[in-house]
Amino acid sequence: MDIGIVSMRYAKALMEYAKSTGTEDRLYTEMRTLSRSFEKHPDLRAALENPVLPVQEKFSLICTAAVGDAPVGQELSRFVTLILKNRREAFLQYICLSYLDLYRKSRHIGVAKLTTAVPVSREIWERIRNSASHLLHAKMELQTDVDPSIEGGFIFDINDFRLDASIATQLKRVKQQFIDKNRRIV
């Protein structure tokens, strides 16, 4: 069975249900938190795929990953129950990603990621987000990441485009140029 087809069907059904109840914004927040939980804790997916773990514990685990200690909304609770009843918990991470994608397309929201060697100030973060929003004619979600291994500069990912202006990449290019030049000489 194709993971993409199953995930998209569940995500579309959840989106339609959320629209009918007027809770798509809250579900978006919960799904985004759940998706981040999957990213930060790869063992979460392994736990959900464990056939020995009781369904009630899986339910509790998913709800905690989505909302933390806050009360679980009825829509999320019903959706998680459906997922567990149909034994589709292995697809949950992909369903989250599909839902987030559908929501962003319906609301014209772009996603960008800025990776820097040091944290950026809130002012710079706002300027970058506003500039990207203006260029794409869409609202922007800007995620920042600090990665000291890039040594300086930045890497900016937006949609399917990447601008890599990191010092580490520039040093690799210079090194490769020297290697290529030495090969031609010899």
Side-chain angles (χ1 to χ4, degrees):
M1 192 174 299
D2 187 10
I3 292 173
I5 292 173
V6 172
S7 302
M8 188 54 77
R9 285 182 180 166
Y10 276 91
K12 284 181 179 178
L14 180 60
M15 179 62 89
E16 290 302 316
Y17 178 63
K19 284 182 180 178
S20 71
T21 59
T23 56
E24 61 258 64
D25 295 336
R26 184 165 42 87
L27 268 171
Y28 173 72
T29 303
E30 293 168 347
M31 287 299 199
R32 191 170 62 186
T33 305
L34 182 57
S35 179
R36 287 182 182 154
S37 295
F38 276 115
E39 287 176 21
K40 290 180 182 177
H41 308 287
D43 53 334
L44 173 61
R45 185 167 172 196
L48 293 177
E49 292 176 1
N50 184 350
V52 178
L53 195 64
V55 172
Q56 190 57 35
E57 286 186 36
K58 289 181 181 183
F59 179 85
S60 175
L61 192 61
I62 294 168
C63 292
T64 301
V67 296
D69 294 333
V72 179
Q74 178 184 2
E75 294 77 15
L76 180 65
S77 176
R78 290 184 68 193
F79 180 70
V80 171
T81 302
L82 176 70
I83 292 290
L84 294 172
K85 178 183 170 194
N86 292 340
R87 304 183 58 85
R88 299 291 194 208
E89 54 268 22
F91 300 108
L92 187 57
Q93 182 177 11
Y94 304 108
I95 294 169
C96 287
L97 294 172
S98 297
Y99 181 84
L100 295 174
D101 190 46
L102 289 171
Y103 181 89
R104 288 173 180 144
K105 284 180 182 174
S106 73
R107 299 291 172 109
H108 304 291
I109 298 173
V111 179
K113 181 178 179 184
L114 177 67
T115 305
T116 57
V118 295
V120 295
S121 68
R122 185 71 181 173
E123 179 185 330
I124 292 173
W125 183 88
E126 283 289 335
R127 284 180 39 201
I128 292 170
R129 188 179 63 82
N130 290 338
S131 296
S133 177
H134 179 71
L135 288 172
L136 293 179
H137 305 292
K139 295 178 189 173
M140 288 301 301
E141 287 183 2
L142 179 61
Q143 176 187 350
T144 57
D145 190 23
V146 176
D147 182 4
S149 70
I150 68 169
E151 299 180 19
F154 63 89
I155 300 172
F156 188 65
D157 295 303
I158 187 165
N159 296 337
D160 295 329
F161 178 73
R162 172 175 265 201
L163 175 61
D164 189 342
S166 65
I167 300 296
T169 300
Q170 292 175 16
L171 289 173
K172 286 178 189 174
R173 286 184 191 144
V174 169
K175 179 181 175 183
Q176 189 61 44
Q177 287 174 354
F178 280 125
I179 291 171
D180 292 343
K181 189 174 184 178
N182 285 335
R183 285 185 184 158
R184 280 186 240 137
I185 293 173
V186 174

